[in-house]
Amino acid sequence: MAEPRILILGGTGEARALARLLDDAGIDVVTSLAGRVANPRLPVGPVRIGGFGGRAGLADWIGANAITAVVDATHPFAARITPNAVAAADAAGVPYLRLARPAWSPSADDVWLRVPDIASAATELERRGGRVFLTTGRQDVSAFADVDAWFLIRVVDEPDGPLPARHQLLRSRGPYDLDGELALLREHRIDVLVTKNSGGDMTVAKLHAARALGIPVIVVDRPAEPAGITRVTSPQAAFDAVTG
Ligand code: NAP
């Protein structure tokens, strides 16, 4: 049987943790990044950067690089790569596993308004106005460009599309803590927080801070993923699945 050689579709902390687990166990692993962030946090082991050219390109790459299994550890909101990877792994005849952290869920003290997509979040803000803390990420900022509200926009890299007329950009990268998030919400007199339901610990403090201050949160639900795929929620579970 071929030696295991795992392709991790990455760009998340879970992907880096899994690369570390596999590398530590002496298993051949290569991580793929889309190349969206200027200075990405890199995993251990070999890394390739850039799109594959769709499903067929990814299937070819899997074959050409003797990949024996694909772990899709991309972000829950990376909606195109996941169906591509499912189809490509199938076409290449290798197993596919989805590693995605659990979604956040509201507690009794949270004031959440759940919306199905970014456009609906923008529509809701248009109705409310006020002072918005926007944390949906660089790629989604332009959806809010025409909204008549004031925005504190927190991003890792500067957005390249149009921006709302009234805004302040805050360049930073998590993890964030409760004290820092409370201070930010107070300093900017934020009325409403907007977030994707990304899940995980790195950025959850904003939700705790909003809860403590009674600030409502517009939460964009995760996009649907292909039915019938095998899913795990932790790097260790993914490691166990591909090595078991
Ligand atoms: P996307 O819409 O699902 O993917 C768009 C295209 O980018 C894919 O069709 C693929 O190009 C390429 N691509 C995506 N992930 C790739 C990977 N890991 N390796 C190689 N190519 C990849 O994804 P996105 O929302 O633009 O996100 C891009 C990356 O950023 C993902 O890897 C994701 O894990 C990370 N990320 C995304 C978010 C988010 O909110 N969307 C947040 C944090 C991190 P081809 O079709 O040419 O193969």
Side-chain angles (χ1 to χ4, degrees):
M1 223 172 88
E3 284 293 308
R5 181 164 158 76
I6 313 297
L7 170 63
I8 301 176
L9 300 171
T12 59
E14 288 75 17
R16 290 189 294 276
L18 177 60
R20 163 75 65 192
L21 288 171
L22 291 167
D23 191 71
D24 283 354
I27 293 166
D28 208 359
V29 59
V30 53
T31 299
S32 174
L33 301 177
R36 297 274 190 284
V37 179
N39 288 304
R41 289 191 174 121
L42 292 173
V44 296
V47 174
R48 64 154 309 279
I49 297 184
F52 295 95
R55 294 172 185 202
L58 179 51
D60 288 349
W61 198 94
I62 290 169
N65 289 275
I67 297 299
T68 58
V70 175
V71 181
D72 176 1
T74 57
H75 191 272
F77 280 82
R80 273 187 290 164
I81 187 74
T82 290
N84 280 0
V86 172
D90 187 47
V94 301
Y96 166 94
L97 180 68
R98 177 70 170 126
L99 164 57
R101 58 185 93 136
W104 293 315
S105 51
S107 76
D109 299 329
D110 285 308
V111 185
W112 275 25
L113 175 70
R114 298 176 71 155
V115 294
D117 50 35
I118 291 284
S120 308
T123 304
E124 178 61 24
L125 286 179
E126 190 61 60
R127 202 178 63 73
R128 289 171 181 251
R131 297 177 65 83
V132 182
F133 183 24
L134 186 65
T135 65
T136 49
R138 182 174 67 94
Q139 294 189 78
D140 295 307
V141 172
S142 60
F144 300 89
D146 295 330
V147 175
D148 184 18
W150 182 87
F151 287 84
L152 176 64
I153 302 172
R154 185 162 69 188
V155 279
V156 176
D157 286 328
E158 192 136 346
D160 39 23
L163 298 176
R166 294 184 290 131
H167 74 269
Q168 181 178 330
L169 267 188
L170 178 60
R171 297 270 308 273
S172 77
R173 168 140 60 185
Y176 302 104
D177 64 24
L178 179 59
D179 286 347
E181 300 292 60
L182 282 169
L184 203 61
L185 293 176
R186 287 189 175 117
E187 180 192 343
H188 294 281
R189 294 175 284 114
I190 295 298
D191 301 312
V192 59
L193 165 67
V194 185
T195 181
K196 299 179 192 172
N197 195 338
S198 299
D201 299 332
M202 298 246 292
T203 59
V204 73
K206 62 189 171 188
L207 295 176
H208 298 159
R211 179 189 306 161
L213 299 177
I215 292 174
V217 188
I218 298 175
V219 180
V220 182
D221 279 335
R222 294 178 171 195
E225 294 190 351
I229 58 178
T230 308
R231 307 175 56 91
V232 291
T233 56
S234 73
Q236 185 63 53
F239 175 85
D240 293 345
V242 294
T243 57

